[in-house]
Amino acid sequence: MKKDNSWFLLFLVLGGMLQVQAQQTVLTREEAIARALESNYGIRISTNEVEIAENNKSIRNSGYLPSLSARAGTSYDLNDRLTEPDGEESVEQKGIENMFYNGSLDLNYLLFDGLGRLYNYRSLKEQYNLSQLEARETIENTILQLFSVYFEIARLSENIDVLEETLEISQERVTRAGYMFEYGQTNNLAVLNARVDVNNDSINLLEARQRLFNTKRDLNVLLDRDVSRQDYRVDTTVTFLPRLSLDALVEEAEVNNVRLLQSEKAITISEYDIRIRRSGYLPSVGLTGSYGWNRNESAATAFFPGSTTTTSGLSAGLNLSWDIFDGGRTSVQVQNARIINESQELLKEQISLEVKRDIANALGTYENKLYIFHVQEENVKTNLDNFNRTEEQYKLGQVTSIEFRQAQINLLNARTSLNLAKYDAKLAELEVLRLSGQLLNVEF
């Protein structure tokens, strides 16, 4: 009776947990994506990088605007002076004070710099576009990571349902074996075996629940929520895209794949860099302008009275600078820029080949996972039919408890394998969408 009471308490605990689960809200996929886009740390950091690139491409960072600076100063002189005229008496003065004040506004504007400024400005715009693609890649990888955790929660939730049903059947078997033992229809060994199976099923259920709790914590981290939050469940429905639609998306991979788009931007930037380096061969022309004000207060001397002089005025100038020969520095920079551009072209070819391979592998993996999923569906049907028949025969005493337990385990394994195959196939489909550049454009 002590053991029966312990099992009764266990079922009270499990029943309470089930009741809590029934009151949980559903975290939909759309809500999870929206939360990730808003709060995920990796996405927020990539968004900041885009903002920095946007600031860099501003006209204020291009060198096209003039610079205006203001300067002001003052100085004070205190001197002793001894004047010794020829044939005359020396004159000594102490504490002669002189004050100087000045101020100016200086304008500088680069009229022409060999077009380096123009191509640098265009390069900054392309770097901004590249940063957007890098942010998109971060978002795609985060969404894929999000759904790998989201679907793991869904898989564990469905496995828990299966394990709960298995535990319930095992508990009924303990009760049935107890009645049969009381009426002398079986020995005590059957009761003990049934209780061992209940113990094993209970342990499996508790371990599955703990894995579910841990995985929910992983999802909370991705969504920047309270790590200990468990008051939610996820959507366990899964649908797959039609094959024709998927094939059409794969055909457009070369246009939409984010790695290929990034390589194209890198080539464009390297081409601008060549032109920027070439600008060193050409002269630069600058315009300067200034408004100045000066005041000089001089103390009286032995021969001249004190005076105050104030001047102000405008000045403007045009200057030309041309490094006719800079020791070959510009030539080396141009050569290196061309080599970098060639490397970027080679890298694009490599990435293009890798993307084709990755898509072919991902599509093959998806087809294989989808086939396994359909096979597992048939396997569950077969094992369910076998279990139902075995259960009927067990109740009639035509099969042993060991045979019944084996049929129960086979059904459990088939159903958990089906859950695994279902979500594996869906994740494989999402990988195909990511590689084809359509992960953010397709509802799933």
Side-chain angles (χ1 to χ4, degrees), residues 113-117 273-284 321-326 329-331 333-334:
D113 67 340
L115 299 178
R117 175 176 54 183
D273 191 53
I274 294 175
R275 296 186 176 119
I276 293 171
R277 303 306 174 187
R278 283 178 179 170
S279 67
Y281 290 129
L282 300 177
S284 61
S321 175
W322 195 348
D323 291 334
I324 297 176
F325 180 70
D326 62 356
R329 185 181 69 252
T330 300
S331 177
Q333 291 178 346
V334 171

Side-chain angles (χ1 to χ4, degrees), residues 11 57 78 90 117 131 166 205 207 223 231-232 266 277 310 336 367 395 399:
F11 278 105
K57 77 178 183 68
L78 180 63
S90 300
R117 175 176 54 183
S131 70
T166 301
L205 178 58
E207 289 180 345
L223 301 182
D231 61 337
Y232 67 93
R277 303 306 174 187
T310 302
N336 289 342
E367 292 173 346
K395 291 178 180 180
V399 297

Side-chain angles (χ1 to χ4, degrees), residues 21-32 150 225 229 231-237:
Q21 281 193 342
Q23 297 173 351
Q24 293 176 342
T25 59
V26 178
L27 176 65
T28 66
R29 297 167 197 176
E30 293 77 11
E31 291 172 345
Y150 187 94
R225 306 199 305 178
R229 184 172 180 179
D231 61 337
Y232 67 93
R233 50 196 174 92
V234 299
D235 184 5
T236 58
T237 59

Side-chain angles (χ1 to χ4, degrees), residues 96-315:
I96 300 174
E97 295 181 336
N98 291 310
M99 299 291 295
F100 300 92
Y101 306 94
N102 65 83
S104 66
L105 288 175
D106 300 312
L107 177 70
N108 290 279
Y109 185 62
L110 185 63
L111 296 176
F112 179 77
D113 67 340
L115 299 178
R117 175 176 54 183
L118 171 65
Y119 292 119
N120 183 64
Y121 184 46
R122 293 179 179 177
S123 176
L124 289 174
K125 288 184 175 180
E126 291 300 325
Q127 290 176 24
Y128 167 71
N129 295 332
L130 178 60
S131 70
Q132 287 185 313
L133 291 173
E134 291 171 346
R136 172 187 153 187
E137 183 179 27
T138 300
I139 293 174
E140 288 180 349
N141 292 335
T142 302
I143 294 300
L144 198 62
Q145 182 185 10
L146 167 68
F147 276 108
S148 67
V149 179
Y150 187 94
F151 287 142
E152 179 65 7
I153 293 175
R155 184 184 74 85
L156 290 172
S157 298
E158 292 193 321
N159 282 356
I160 286 173
D161 292 339
V162 174
L163 290 170
E164 287 172 351
E165 183 178 338
T166 301
L167 179 60
E168 183 180 353
I169 294 173
S170 297
Q171 182 62 25
E172 291 176 355
R173 182 173 145 225
V174 170
T175 303
R176 183 178 183 83
Y179 288 143
M180 294 176 66
F181 175 71
E182 290 179 2
Y183 289 101
Q185 296 178 356
T186 186
N187 55 31
N188 192 41
L189 182 61
V191 178
L192 296 177
N193 287 336
R195 286 178 175 171
V196 168
D197 292 337
V198 166
N199 288 339
N200 292 330
D201 292 342
S202 300
I203 292 173
N204 292 335
L205 178 58
L206 292 174
E207 289 180 345
R209 288 190 183 280
Q210 186 58 51
R211 288 194 296 271
L212 176 62
F213 293 155
N214 294 343
T215 309
K216 282 188 174 183
R217 294 187 186 100
D218 293 337
L219 184 60
N220 291 336
V221 170
L222 287 174
L223 301 182
D224 187 25
R225 306 199 305 178
D226 182 9
V227 175
S228 61
R229 184 172 180 179
Q230 299 284 337
D231 61 337
Y232 67 93
R233 50 196 174 92
V234 299
D235 184 5
T236 58
T237 59
V238 170
T239 58
F240 297 96
L241 291 175
R243 182 54 193 266
L244 292 178
S245 299
L246 195 62
D247 289 342
L249 295 176
V250 170
E251 290 178 0
E252 299 179 358
E254 294 187 3
V255 180
N256 298 311
N257 181 271
V258 69
R259 290 187 64 201
L260 285 174
L261 294 176
Q262 287 176 349
S263 66
E264 292 173 358
K265 293 300 178 185
I267 291 174
T268 303
I269 292 173
S270 66
E271 290 173 347
Y272 283 139
D273 191 53
I274 294 175
R275 296 186 176 119
I276 293 171
R277 303 306 174 187
R278 283 178 179 170
S279 67
Y281 290 129
L282 300 177
S284 61
V285 180
L287 176 67
T288 61
S290 177
Y291 172 79
W293 176 85
N294 296 275
R295 181 182 177 89
N296 184 4
E297 298 178 355
S298 301
T301 66
F303 304 99
F304 298 97
S307 64
T308 299
T309 304
T310 302
T311 61
S312 62
L314 294 170
S315 65

